[in-house]
Amino acid sequence: MLYTDWVLIERGFDPNQLHARETVFTIGNGYLGTRGSFEEGYPRAMPVTLIQGVYDAVPVMYTELVNCPDWLPLTITLNGDPRRSERFSLDQGEVLSYERRLDLRYGLLRRSIRWRSPSGKTLDIQFERFASLADPHVLGLRCLITPIDWEGAIAVHASINGYAENQGFNHWDLLTQDQTETNFTEDLQLEPAIWLAARTRQSQIELGMAAKLIIQGVAATFQRESAPGYPTLTTSYQAAIGQTVLVEKIVTVYTSQDIEYPLKAAQSKLVTLPSYPECWEQHKQAWKSAWHTSDVIVEGDIRAQLAIRYSMFQLLISAPWHHQQASIPAKTLSGFGYRGHIFWDTEIFILPLFTFTQPELARRLLTYRYHTLEGARRKARSYGYKGAMYAWESADTGDEVTPRWALPSDPYASDIRIWCRDREIHISADIAYAIWNYWQATGDDLWMRDYGAEIILDTAVFWMSRVEWNSQFERYELREVIGADEYHEHHVNNNAFTNRMTQWHLEKAIAVYAWLEHTFPEQAAALAQKLEITPERRQRWQDIANHLWVPYHSETGFIEQFEGFCNLEDINLQDYEPRTKSMQTILGIDGANKRQVLKQPDVLMLLYLMRQLQEFPYNPESLKTNWDYYAPRTDITYGSSLGPAIHAILAADLGDSQTAYKHFLQAALVDLENTRGNTAEGIHGACAGGAWQAIVFGFAGIRFQDNQPIATPHLPPHWTRLAFKLHWRGKWHPFEITHSASEMNSYHPSPSPEMDEASPTINLRGAIFDLDGVLTDTAEYHYRAWQRLADEEELPFDRQANEALRGISRRESLLKIVGDRTYSAAQLEEMMERKNRYYQEFIESMSPSDLLPGVRSLLTELRQQQIKIAIASASKNARTVIEKLNITELVDAIADGYSVERPKPAPDLFLYAANQLKLPPAACVVFEDATAGIEAALAAGMWSVGLGPVERVGNAHVVLPNFADITWAGILSKLNQHLS
Amino acid sequence: MLYTDWVLIERGFDPNQLHARETVFTIGNGYLGTRGSFEEGYPRAMPVTLIQGVYDAVPVMYTELVNCPDWLPLTITLNGDPRRSERFSLDQGEVLSYERRLDLRYGLLRRSIRWRSPSGKTLDIQFERFASLADPHVLGLRCLITPIDWEGAIAVHASINGYAENQGFNHWDLLTQDQTETNFTEDLQLEPAIWLAARTRQSQIELGMAAKLIIQGVAATFQRESAPGYPTLTTSYQAAIGQTVLVEKIVTVYTSQDIEYPLKAAQSKLVTLPSYPECWEQHKQAWKSAWHTSDVIVEGDIRAQLAIRYSMFQLLISAPWHHQQASIPAKTLSGFGYRGHIFWDTEIFILPLFTFTQPELARRLLTYRYHTLEGARRKARSYGYKGAMYAWESADTGDEVTPRWALPSDPYASDIRIWCRDREIHISADIAYAIWNYWQATGDDLWMRDYGAEIILDTAVFWMSRVEWNSQFERYELREVIGADEYHEHHVNNNAFTNRMTQWHLEKAIAVYAWLEHTFPEQAAALAQKLEITPERRQRWQDIANHLWVPYHSETGFIEQFEGFCNLEDINLQDYEPRTKSMQTILGIDGANKRQVLKQPDVLMLLYLMRQLQEFPYNPESLKTNWDYYAPRTDITYGSSLGPAIHAILAADLGDSQTAYKHFLQAALVDLENTRGNTAEGIHGACAGGAWQAIVFGFAGIRFQDNQPIATPHLPPHWTRLAFKLHWRGKWHPFEITHSASEMNSYHPSPSPEMDEASPTINLRGAIFDLDGVLTDTAEYHYRAWQRLADEEELPFDRQANEALRGISRRESLLKIVGDRTYSAAQLEEMMERKNRYYQEFIESMSPSDLLPGVRSLLTELRQQQIKIAIASASKNARTVIEKLNITELVDAIADGYSVERPKPAPDLFLYAANQLKLPPAACVVFEDATAGIEAALAAGMWSVGLGPVERVGNAHVVLPNFADITWAGILSKLNQHLS
């Protein structure tokens, strides 16, 4: 994978990464998410489109987000005769080039392929797709088709696939589709369109989807096909060599959660839609607004820059922009992992990004918990408690949907009971914590009055009924819980995390009630009646808050994770390195349960949460003490993916930016580099949110003091700049952090003018030039050397004959020249040496005038722009030539025939050059005139500019005839066009 | 539903019965079963094709028979324009007539529909299908299409639906289909064909299916469509009014369990297949052979006759004719109930039919248990026992696949543990019992040596490790079991059924080993070594057999179901009547568990099994004692469906043939009449097998004595004849039982020559004739009466004017005749009376010569054939006319204008006539010349012959112009053509 500051690039297709990359290239618009599956399909592909809030029942797991009818299918067949037709597919024929790129700035997924069919027809195909952020019901898909070396019939089939499934399970009953006479809008009969309506089997949610096909640049016919559940629209045309035809598939979708008649709505929308370019333009504007407030700029670390934007992008497209009663599932809308259920991940890990950059979305995320209060109350009642006890896993109703069992396929193995539903009760306090922080950050009193207060108070009622009084120690306790750390699930009593969060929750519930009573006495009275909050009960809350035991050692600041934790068998995780599995897998469930090994931060999680509020038990000393004890005992690599971001923030807080950076990357790259091997199941939403927090709360060290956010930066050493802005109490606070500044202890926001103008440029810092044919043309000198040899041997030769030698080795060139004439091997050897000698003599006579037109001014401009310059030539005479051309002082590095062993198209020479420049490949652009050279640049993961005809260098990102009148700005502009 | 002796007929389509009737109309060939779903589809339809042995994993239920790609889809669209096309479907337009019939003799399913499209086009459509019993890989489907009142384009689409699912779950990965270039047989390119290959996701079984379409009688074009997973072949033609076009869809199917390359095999088979009629002929021959040995003839009870043949049919098509390692699932191959798992149902309820009429299939069914011995050994090991402990539910490997949990959808309800897997251990003894009986019946010593002995011995090893020694009582015990009765599943110790079966099993294991040691000493030694059967262990078996406690009271013969059963709270089931739910549903699981209420026979089940062997504890007195105690406490109506057949046999044994008959019908009609409301889930295989046993062991009272089967009949009073044959020790023993014979105490087999010739005729015993227009033509006398009136009134009238009066009432006829002329109401009244008086005068002059041609000879023939004759006429003058025609002595009954109130098309008049003849409607044929008369006959559930033009009487089963040259044999032949 290549990273630019805005674009994620996949060069080459690896079937082994199929499912993981489908996840990584997910696009969406907050209404739905669609995995990056191929339009034309692929064996074992897992195309998924998940719509916010569309849940349906499923065995064991209770309910799950439903995979919706697939809007992607667009297949291409060559040659009209169905008996001999070939269908474009990456598992057939030959893939000559492949590139997939996700432009985060506009949520555009583009794929460019040059493909040769089994019968030898070559084709350029480019797909692009977007899910409109401006109109959530509009999906755009484009395909550009160019036959390279053949002509004939092409058919493009655009379908809606009604057989989408959730890992084998089909939730849909087909209701109607275009083949039937019923339920269509008359207008749709007038242009080629297809549609489909379906209904989920249990939840009875109806979905309507419609699609039309537009073809440009050619005369075409249209035909509909009627396979049940798979309506297809086919357009056929005669393709000409080199002629590019544009096909647009525009799709509309509604569900009965949006509107009463979703199919009619989809049909009407399709008919009244503006053109594809207009839809695209509206969509772009929507994204500009989104990034305007949410963007984070990192300079000096292109990977971190891309990773943080990627994380934000994946969360932005999963947020309920258009839904009033939905939240962000743990695996976002990008895969089947955790069945679309909602965990504490949202409130604790993901929410801050929204609270501080998209507060409207943060409010919706929290309002979801208000709409699911009844489910939380049902759960409390079913366990014999009062008030609201939130589900560990929550879906549409808020009822508990954590599976009760993990079922083994072995019929004799025991089923594994999943205890989180019963014991991981801290979720209710986590939600209260998130609400409190949202309120503090936004001052959204009306929301607090109408929604937040009821949640905080009714969960406090729950805690009141859940605690136990220990008469012996005269304290309240919480027994048989699971804390944040899930390796310990049996006989966990008085977990510090849970007890302190509960205590904090009750304190804040008292405060919220007092505030409400003071500010909105009517609402306070109504809530008190509804929730039966008597003064006596509030007194009880206070009593519990005062006497709920937190196992904190006040002398040392050490906190025992739970009662008796330190009596468990100790463990040295280093003894198990290197490993590729979680400690629970290695030790077994019971083995981990009885040792001092943590799946994720627990005491440290508590310290992190209280750090944000600067409340007990957080203080720097306590942090240090507990970090030293718990961090080495935490399975941060293969335990929970929730861990690394929290460790990153705390490590930064402790001033260890190296450790902080390591953990930040663990969170930020978890899906981009599939470090845990489970990216196929969906995006790790909590890692994405945690990565943002690691930057803002860790590296920038943001705290809220004196009624404003204040930074105490701990930037990684190689970061040259960090910029973002935060919304706090009605105002935007921009931050601009560099190392010079970060030497200060802490500092206040400063304006960052560039933020709003951040352009989606490639961040190029080096230019690598081939020599021969690019900077100069030594072909002339080769010709002269051959001519001299031919004349001496009285062989016929001239400029025209010389043309036949292009790209041919020295030996083969000689054999062409001698023709029928007979020579001994020794004679031929001597002649080759002689020719080379003449060549070397000629280049001795080279001068600056041998620089090709435009080269010197370009090199000068690069130098001014502080772009580093290298020359990479396979020639062993390169240094001589460079000297003669008098450009030595413009060049930072030279890679020549002595530098590496493997010739182009191996990437070695360019990688060597980049290394000399101390630049990553993605920061370099290569200028080449040969096919093999372009291939080498692509293989190196570099940008490429081809000089010469498209037939020779068409695979390059940008093709130029030569350097005449070319500027660096012009090249950058062309490369950026390639991105957008 | 109508029953003839071989044909099951459904008149009219009821969407509420959709799924149940899909089950009822299942066809198959022992390789696969296909439910009776419609070819053209229907909303919420559940089309299912299950292939023997094709299992795949599924959550919770471990594994299930996989719904295979659907070979049925054949849709018809009218009018080529896709924008205005209408698709034939019973939920659209108007169904003018509908009939579905399953011919059990040849396994042919036929459906005839007259349908009017929403735009008013009328169409006759007839579908038929069969799964070849001659070649298991061949499936035939035919469709006859006749436009009645329009002409235009028709398209027929034949598909393979690769999206078959198991209640939402899709087990298949699509591999390839006709749209791709790979993997096809070249020949198939030459004719219109489609194909598809898919693979199950876990078990990795590949399936290949191919289909071709042949159209006859018209010029047509062909086209293929390429929707992934839904290959479709479309043929289009121009239809003419009244022209019938025949479309044949022939399908071939293989799996990788049959052959290495199933798709290639399916393609090759398709190419080399003979014509549809030839395939059909081979198939018919195969069925003739099957029925030759298995048929049971019941006379005097058409419903019983059809039901027993239906039961046998459903078992014959589910038996593994072509599979070496499969058995019959509890719900056969006809639905998703019990996921295709195999229970004791097969060995105890189903097997005897096969043992005694298809011994080769019986052997295969038992050999399945040999192939699954390793699974039974794994189960024993997993529970800490030795030997082989058979799975309560078994699938491909023999491992236990009973679901461990019944999962409620309510997230707070407790999961219900299913204990059968752990406790219902009698299954191992049941298998031994079945093997022993097979061996006794067939004398198949080689099979016993190579397969049966190892099963009986290794399960004996299991029992040895399962029993416990009770030191206090000095006896062996079996504790914590579930007996046959599943209402008691907790703390059931020393269940009489389980203990006695175990004791019996050990006794027979000792006997089998002794026989093996004597007859095949080498094999005995090898088995003894393999299973570690030491002499000491055999001694232990004997010790256990001697001291395993069976709670039998030797003074009274009463057997206590298990230790302490009689101490449970007693119950009077009459107190709960009327009810429509099981007693467990009414009382709850715990409530039933602590009462003396049985889900199914337990002690009585033991007595039934031991009755077959005439072994302890069976004797007539013990049976009477225990019957009187347990039968009233058994939930025979809504408890287990396994109960009724056993009660039927025992009641017959007790001489109570009325009770026996009642329970027999409960078993035999369970699916035909969906009496338990769960027929949608599949055929009750055990009921079908039980119904056969109820007839053979109950009503015929077959026992095996003196080395031959002997009958002690207890026929239901209205049965006039019962005939069947049994295979016993190498010979066929035909039985022919009538009441005269059944007065004897018992009797020996007698030859039954008719058996082998039993023809698939409709069993007609009555003919009902309309009078006017059928037997005579009084229209002439009506004309003469009108003419006389008109002449008197000087009104213009002639024969041509009379034609306009056909089918018009007397009053309206008069108004037509008077035209413009004005009369008072009284005058009109007088004229009508006058006309009727003239008519009566005329018919006084009628004579035998007024009988229409052919009538007298037909009536005479009917009388000779002992077919009863009735005349059913709405006329009040009918008796006069009959006298004048001089046919009174040929007529057994007359229904006339005085007999009933509602006129035709109400069925009342014909039902009245049938009642007079003392015949069921299905045994009668009606002859009618009016549309309303045909409708009345159909509504009465009778056969119908229409006289006159098709436009008038086309809905009749057979249409004749008149009776000239018509014989009864000719009519029967035409009616039977309609059947076959």
Side-chain angles (χ1 to χ4, degrees), chain A residues 59-60 62 82-87 92 157 161 163 165 167-170 179-182 189-190 201 223 225-228 230 232 375 378-379 382-383 398-400 404-405 407-415 421, chain B residues 59-60 62 82-87 92 157 161 163 165 167-170 179-182 189-190 201 223 225-228 230 232 375 378-379 382-383 398-400 404-405 407-415 421:
Chain A
V60 190
Y62 300 108
R83 295 189 192 168
R84 310 217 168 274
S85 68
E86 296 179 304
R87 193 166 60 88
Q92 304 285 324
H157 317 274
N161 177 5
Y163 297 101
E165 59 171 52
Q167 298 172 296
F169 205 84
N170 178 8
Q179 66 176 352
T180 64
E181 283 301 285
T182 49
Q189 297 292 346
L190 304 177
R201 297 184 182 185
Q223 190 194 349
E225 294 181 4
S226 60
Y230 214 105
T232 299
R378 281 190 291 272
K379 179 175 175 183
S382 84
Y383 280 82
D399 285 294
E400 181 59 75
R404 211 182 248 121
W405 302 99
L407 302 174
S409 57
D410 174 355
Y412 307 119
S414 293
D415 297 339
R421 57 184 297 132
Chain B
V60 190
Y62 299 109
R83 294 189 193 168
R84 312 219 166 272
S85 67
E86 296 179 306
R87 193 167 61 87
Q92 304 286 324
H157 316 274
N161 177 4
Y163 297 101
E165 59 172 51
Q167 297 173 297
F169 206 83
N170 178 9
Q179 66 176 350
T180 63
E181 283 301 284
T182 49
Q189 297 292 346
L190 303 178
R201 296 184 183 185
Q223 190 194 350
E225 292 181 5
S226 59
Y230 214 105
T232 298
R378 281 190 292 271
K379 179 175 175 185
S382 84
Y383 280 83
D399 284 293
E400 182 58 75
R404 212 183 249 123
W405 301 100
L407 302 175
S409 57
D410 175 355
Y412 307 119
S414 293
D415 298 339
R421 56 184 297 133

Side-chain angles (χ1 to χ4, degrees), chain B residues 696-848:
Chain B
V696 170
F697 301 128
F699 299 139
I702 295 294
R703 289 181 193 178
F704 303 95
Q705 284 174 357
D706 310 329
N707 205 20
Q708 64 178 338
I710 294 172
T712 310
H714 307 277
L715 286 198
H718 60 299
W719 287 21
T720 53
R721 180 180 167 225
L722 171 63
F724 56 86
K725 54 186 170 185
L726 301 179
H727 192 260
W728 170 258
R729 301 200 175 165
K731 279 191 302 207
W732 285 101
H733 300 262
F735 285 86
E736 182 71 48
I737 302 171
T738 60
H739 274 288
S740 55
S742 79
E743 284 160 12
M744 297 161 51
N745 228 3
S746 72
Y747 65 112
H748 295 250
S750 66
S752 164
E754 194 188 322
M755 280 288 299
D756 302 350
E757 298 303 321
S759 61
T761 51
I762 305 167
N763 187 16
L764 285 178
R765 287 182 287 141
I768 301 175
F769 293 86
D770 179 32
L771 182 56
D772 200 359
V774 172
L775 298 184
T776 185
D777 195 351
T778 54
E780 176 67 18
Y781 299 102
H782 285 290
Y783 160 66
R784 289 190 204 168
W786 284 124
Q787 188 69 59
R788 181 163 165 191
L789 178 75
D791 291 344
E792 289 169 353
E793 295 292 326
E794 296 185 348
L795 290 163
F797 191 70
D798 58 14
R799 278 190 185 273
Q800 199 185 335
N802 186 58
E803 276 302 301
L805 307 185
R806 185 182 286 274
I808 281 178
S809 73
R810 199 187 298 172
R811 178 177 298 276
E812 283 177 322
S813 295
L814 178 61
L815 291 175
K816 272 190 184 282
I817 293 168
V818 300
D820 306 336
R821 198 92 70 83
T822 51
Y823 288 93
S824 72
Q827 285 174 314
L828 289 172
E829 211 58 43
E830 182 279 325
M831 284 160 71
M832 285 194 288
E833 276 168 32
R834 185 158 22 125
K835 180 265 171 183
N836 192 43
R837 199 167 62 244
Y838 296 155
Y839 172 71
Q840 285 174 330
E841 287 170 21
F842 284 124
I843 61 174
E844 279 297 323
S845 70
M846 283 178 81
S847 74

Side-chain angles (χ1 to χ4, degrees), chain B residues 552-573:
Chain B
Y552 176 81
H553 297 234
S554 53
E555 317 87 69
T556 61
F558 178 73
I559 301 165
E560 189 173 16
Q561 185 171 319
F562 54 82
E563 210 178 337
F565 177 84
C566 293
N567 301 333
L568 297 178
E569 187 180 327
D570 208 357
I571 192 168
N572 183 355
L573 291 186

Side-chain angles (χ1 to χ4, degrees), chain A residues 63 195 398:
Chain A
T63 186
W195 55 87

Side-chain angles (χ1 to χ4, degrees), chain A residues 768 870 893 908-921 924 942:
Chain A
I768 302 175
D908 303 24
L909 194 71
F910 294 137
L911 291 172
Y912 179 90
N915 195 41
Q916 293 289 105
L917 296 178
K918 300 194 184 1
L919 289 175
C924 298
M942 296 178 181

